[in-house]
Amino acid sequence: MNILDVVPKKAVFRQTGTPVEPELRPVWRIALIALILSLLSSGNKANAKKIQVLCSLISSSDKRQKYFSPTKDLFENFNVRFDPLVDRAIDLGIGGKIFELDASKSIKLTKKGLEFAKKIECDQEIFINEKGFILKFKKSFFTDDVIDRLVAGVRL
């Protein structure tokens, strides 16, 4: 008897959906990258390394809290995860004309992307913790040297 030849008398399919964490949604990452480019990057552009490091820092509430800690704990245990989902979000953002690549291969906000970022900045109900952290810094703070030190785990 082949199980594929037997027709079931009753088949029931139930969907037990579970919500997807916001951090796993591409739109969430695209919005976070737009905020980073708008609020933390000169000229509204940055290289992929800077975006990866800042996404790693900003998206983790634990890392955000430890960043201002007077102990060395964050820098000794700061693990920058070069997340393929961030790269995918950048690709989707480029496809959606939110971002573009400039001549030096930096990711840059388009006009549409800048409008998108401004809407996120003005909305008081989304990215509350992330915006609170981001707004503590000037655009010029996260230089290449600062990013390299974060990756290396060296105290600033």
Side-chain angles (χ1 to χ4, degrees):
M1 177 173 160
N2 189 350
I3 193 163
L4 297 175
D5 293 332
V6 177
V7 178
K9 293 180 183 177
K10 183 177 178 183
V12 177
F13 296 95
R14 291 189 178 96
Q15 181 178 357
T16 58
T18 57
V20 177
E21 295 286 329
E23 293 82 11
L24 298 177
R25 299 177 190 158
V27 174
W28 185 87
R29 289 189 192 284
I30 291 170
L32 181 62
I33 294 166
L35 275 177
I36 289 169
L37 292 174
S38 173
L39 297 174
L40 290 178
S41 301
S42 300
N44 299 321
K45 67 180 182 177
N47 60 29
K49 180 180 178 181
K50 181 176 183 177
I51 291 172
Q52 285 279 1
V53 171
L54 291 177
C55 279
S56 180
L57 174 63
I58 295 168
S59 65
S60 168
S61 62
D62 189 40
K63 289 178 184 175
R64 285 193 312 264
Q65 289 173 349
K66 288 182 179 180
Y67 187 83
F68 293 113
S69 171
T71 66
K72 294 182 180 181
D73 185 42
L74 169 72
F75 299 96
E76 291 173 356
N77 298 315
F78 188 75
N79 184 15
V80 176
R81 182 170 183 263
F82 286 86
D83 191 351
L85 293 175
V86 171
D87 292 334
R88 180 168 167 84
I90 291 169
D91 291 342
L92 290 170
I94 290 171
K97 308 223 184 289
I98 304 291
F99 314 128
E100 64 185 6
L101 292 176
D102 69 359
S104 64
K105 301 294 183 198
S106 290
I107 295 92
K108 182 178 181 179
L109 280 175
T110 62
K111 184 178 178 182
K112 180 180 175 182
L114 194 54
E115 291 171 5
F116 179 58
K118 294 297 178 195
K119 286 180 183 178
I120 296 168
E121 289 174 41
C122 293
D123 193 323
Q124 301 296 319
E125 297 182 10
I126 58 174
F127 289 99
I128 297 165
N129 298 327
E130 292 85 350
K131 286 188 283 191
F133 181 80
I134 288 171
L135 292 174
K136 293 179 182 177
F137 301 97
K138 293 182 180 179
K139 279 190 172 200
S140 60
F141 181 79
F142 288 103
T143 62
D144 289 341
D145 183 50
V146 172
I147 295 298
D148 289 340
R149 288 170 155 244
L150 284 171
V151 171
V154 178
R155 187 119 174 113
L156 303 176

